[in-house]
Amino acid sequence: MIGLISATAAGAAARDRLAAAWPDRTCVYDGPVADAVRRAFAECEQLVCFLATGAVVRLVAPLLAGKTTDPGVVCVDEAGRYAVALLGGHGGGANDLARAVGEVLGAEPVVTTATDAAGLAGLDTLGLPVEGDVAGVTRALLDGEPVALAAEVPWPLPPVPFAAEGAHTVRLTDRAVAAGEREVLLRPPSLVVGVGASRGAPVEEVLGLVEGALRDAGLSVRSVAELATVDAKAGEPGLVGAAERLGVPLVTYTAEELAAVEVPNPSDAPLAAVGTPSVAEAAALARGGELLVPKRKSERADGRPAMATCAVVRRPARGRLAVVGLGPGARDLLTPRARAELRRASVLVGLDQYVDQIRDLLRPGTRILESGLGAEEERARTAVAEARKGQAVALIGSGDAGVYAMASPALAEASDDIDVIGVPGVTAALAAAAVLGAPLGHDHVSISLSDLHTPWEVIERRVRAAAEADIVVTFYNPRSRGRDWQLPKALGILAEHRAPSTPVGVVRQASRPDESSRVTTLGELDPAWVDMMTVVTVGNTATRIVAGRMVTPRGYRWQSTAEEAR
């Protein structure tokens, strides 16, 4: 919960705007300001104080306990111009909160954390448990000193400018080792613990078994990603309680799913009880991996039979492929989600001219793999191959990456051994439509006139179908130096079904600095106006030009009513 505190009418107005935007995340603290801050500090994960920073410093100073427990605190000034991350920038999430508050209130976020100011990913913000000399190694990164990455377990990390060797080290490991001097340990969630239990097994027995198995194998409990068991045990209190104490989910599988998993130590007892010859080993191995700890039973001090079993598996790292649409070119049409994925990726794959558009948004340490026109399939294969190595990869395309862009070839290459995230973008058709007016107000279709990948016979059949169905058509790749006859041919097909007065919009370089546009008609359009940087939108029989803008009504009733009024 985010506590909101204000002292003046202006502060209360901004506070109420934030509360209205985040009704389920915020709580307003009224009363004397000092009392409100004390209560919110004790009860909330984060605070937004609509007060001067000096006042907040004096109020929270006596309350500070430690950076791992203190809430994140953001201050917003009286005029609502700035959202200042005052306390708990990383640990308390104040940096991200300041940015979010800024978006809602139109305030400038002020973040002074050194790594954020330098554009570096903080070692305590990588999404993994962290141990060791975080401050010292971070300072080395900020000072440009070489910091080596020792990855004992491959795992997709955000970009950090690691070196091959260095006096400082970041060790990515799930082993139970202590951090050395000038070393940071990152704990990837690479371990799955399969568990089985008799009815009524105490949580202490289950937890003791799991922790003992990890300790004996030299593995860190902080790298446990989940406990796994058969669905018949989903509500078993000992398993549920052990997962809660470890802070991990309890994942379940059906007996049929577990019975299909090959294990080294099957048994008749679970087969009779729940319908599978293995619970602990099969549940741990259900999604693949390396069996580190075969099935073992708990030991009871009173000598009674064990009530729990467990097995430990190191699961293979799953690389991450984000297919990112950059939009039509204007920076303000690049979505926040796309920005976040660009900053998260440690490897960026893309067309060289698209890379140049967003190079300044990348974090230090991002590895860039760029190539020229005509290498789409090569880029797709490269991106998938990097993800399969356990990397966090962003594959970029213009507009929406799923529309005449990189998503199709990439997903054709990708299998289920990597995670794929699609990030939508504003397409050229939508950007051009916004310039022209509202030409896509009813059913519409996009057709590429490039026959490099599609036979012209297929393209012509699609154009004819759109013409006969009276659908608004947006033509991509309409005309180039070597392909100058396809656009006149397509327009001729449309002209068989639409009047010469049908509105047509021509937009070149939509949303970019040299954008140009014109609204004309099907009979007057000159193909010489068009090149590969142009989008051509042809209206249907209901499309009209209103005050110089193309408008396709949402329904034909609107058009008939308008005509009757005239």
Side-chain angles (χ1 to χ4, degrees):
M1 187 62 68
I2 304 172
L4 307 181
I5 301 104
S6 62
T8 66
R15 175 202 68 192
D16 292 343
R17 286 174 57 198
L18 197 60
W22 299 340
D24 299 327
R25 300 172 54 195
T26 56
C27 178
V28 173
Y29 283 77
D30 292 318
V33 171
D35 292 340
V37 169
R38 279 194 294 270
R39 286 187 288 122
F41 199 92
E43 298 170 1
C44 297
E45 292 83 16
Q46 295 175 320
L47 280 69
V48 179
C49 299
F50 297 84
L51 306 165
T53 53
V56 178
V57 167
R58 287 190 292 272
L59 290 170
V60 303
L63 309 176
L64 300 180
K67 66 183 299 181
T68 61
T69 57
D70 293 334
V73 178
V74 170
C75 293
V76 178
D77 66 287
E78 186 78 3
R81 294 173 299 176
Y82 303 104
V84 182
L86 183 68
L87 177 70
H90 287 166
N95 293 349
D96 290 338
L97 179 60
R99 298 183 184 100
V101 169
E103 289 183 7
V104 173
L105 301 180
E108 180 72 21
V110 178
V111 175
T112 59
T113 306
T115 50
D116 289 71
L120 290 172
L123 296 177
D124 54 350
T125 68
L126 301 182
L128 302 179
V130 59
E131 306 168 20
D133 187 13
V134 176
V137 176
T138 298
R139 186 163 51 251
L141 286 169
L142 289 168
D143 290 343
E145 298 178 25
V147 175
L149 174 65
E152 298 177 2
V153 180
W155 209 261
L157 293 176
V160 178
F162 291 122
E165 297 179 350
H168 297 78
T169 305
V170 172
R171 186 175 303 278
L172 188 65
T173 181
D174 57 16
R175 295 187 299 116
V177 295
E181 186 180 358
R182 294 183 291 187
E183 183 177 61
V184 164
L185 301 181
L186 293 178
R187 301 295 191 185
S190 55
L191 304 178
V192 176
V193 181
V195 287
S198 302
R199 180 178 298 177
V203 63
E204 291 79 10
E205 182 172 345
V206 176
L207 191 60
L209 172 64
V210 171
E211 291 177 339
L214 293 168
R215 182 174 56 252
D216 293 347
L219 300 171
S220 172
V221 70
R222 301 191 77 186
S223 281
V224 175
E226 61 191 40
L227 299 189
T229 190
V230 65
D231 59 3
K233 298 294 181 178
E236 187 63 43
L239 300 185
V240 174
E244 288 177 350
R245 293 218 203 155
L246 291 170
V248 299
L250 179 64
V251 177
T252 62
Y253 299 93
T254 66
E256 292 76 14
E257 289 174 320
L258 296 185
V261 179
E262 185 175 345
V263 297
N265 300 293
S267 172
D268 292 335
L271 180 62
V274 293
T276 173
S278 172
V279 173
E281 288 181 340
L285 288 165
R287 296 181 183 173
E290 176 188 2
L291 184 63
L292 303 179
V293 180
K295 181 180 71 174
R296 60 187 287 175
K297 298 180 180 180
S298 57
E299 297 179 358
R300 311 190 78 184
D302 56 11
R304 287 185 297 171
M307 297 187 72
T309 59
C310 82
V312 182
V313 162
R314 178 181 287 133
R315 65 180 181 181
R318 290 181 64 86
R320 189 175 192 279
L321 174 61
V323 186
V324 181
L326 300 181
R331 179 57 62 85
D332 59 353
L333 293 181
L334 179 68
T335 67
R337 187 179 301 180
R339 287 174 179 262
E341 288 294 346
L342 293 175
R343 293 179 63 77
R344 177 172 181 166
S346 59
V347 179
L348 182 86
V349 181
L351 179 68
D352 48 12
Q353 57 185 303
Y354 297 154
V355 172
D356 289 341
Q357 289 180 21
I358 47 84
R359 197 182 297 271
D360 63 302
L361 298 179
L362 305 178
R363 276 182 162 153
T366 305
R367 183 157 55 95
I368 300 173
L369 303 176
E370 54 187 316
S371 53
L373 286 169
E376 289 81 5
E377 294 181 355
E378 177 187 342
R379 285 194 292 274
R381 286 192 294 268
T382 297
V384 171
E386 290 292 329
R388 285 186 176 136
K389 295 176 184 176
Q391 300 286 346
V393 183
L395 175 63
I396 59 174
S398 66
D400 182 285
V403 179
Y404 302 123
M406 293 305 303
S408 294
L411 269 61
E413 291 284 337
S415 50
D416 61 0
D417 58 345
I418 62 174
D419 295 324
V420 178
I421 297 90
V423 182
V426 178
T427 68
L430 296 179
V435 173
L436 296 171
L440 307 183
H442 207 288
D443 297 338
H444 53 275
V445 63
S446 296
I447 299 176
S448 171
L449 295 184
S450 172
D451 55 1
L452 294 177
H453 300 287
T454 306
W456 175 253
E457 293 76 13
V458 175
I459 297 172
E460 183 174 343
R461 189 164 65 247
R462 292 171 179 173
V463 174
R464 194 170 300 280
E468 293 173 352
D470 197 27
I471 296 177
V472 175
V473 181
T474 297
F475 288 124
Y476 278 71
N477 305 315
R479 184 174 180 270
S480 68
R481 294 176 185 174
R483 293 187 304 99
D484 59 359
W485 59 268
Q486 287 90 341
L487 178 60
K489 178 68 173 177
L491 295 174
I493 294 172
L494 291 177
E496 295 174 11
H497 300 269
R498 301 180 194 183
S501 59
T502 301
V504 176
V506 179
V507 181
R508 187 177 188 279
Q509 297 279 40
S511 87
R512 301 188 182 190
D514 54 347
E515 171 188 287
S516 62
S517 66
R518 67 176 77 194
V519 175
T520 183
T521 65
L522 188 56
E524 296 177 353
L525 173 64
D526 183 353
W529 300 338
V530 177
D531 62 12
M532 285 291 286
M533 306 305 295
T534 306
V535 172
V536 178
T537 301
V538 183
N540 64 13
T541 57
T543 305
R544 296 292 181 268
I545 298 176
V546 180
R549 305 179 186 92
M550 284 182 70
V551 178
T552 301
R554 293 181 60 188
Y556 286 88
R557 181 183 303 175
W558 175 88
Q559 186 61 43
S560 61
T561 302
E563 290 175 350
E564 290 172 2
R566 288 198 295 270

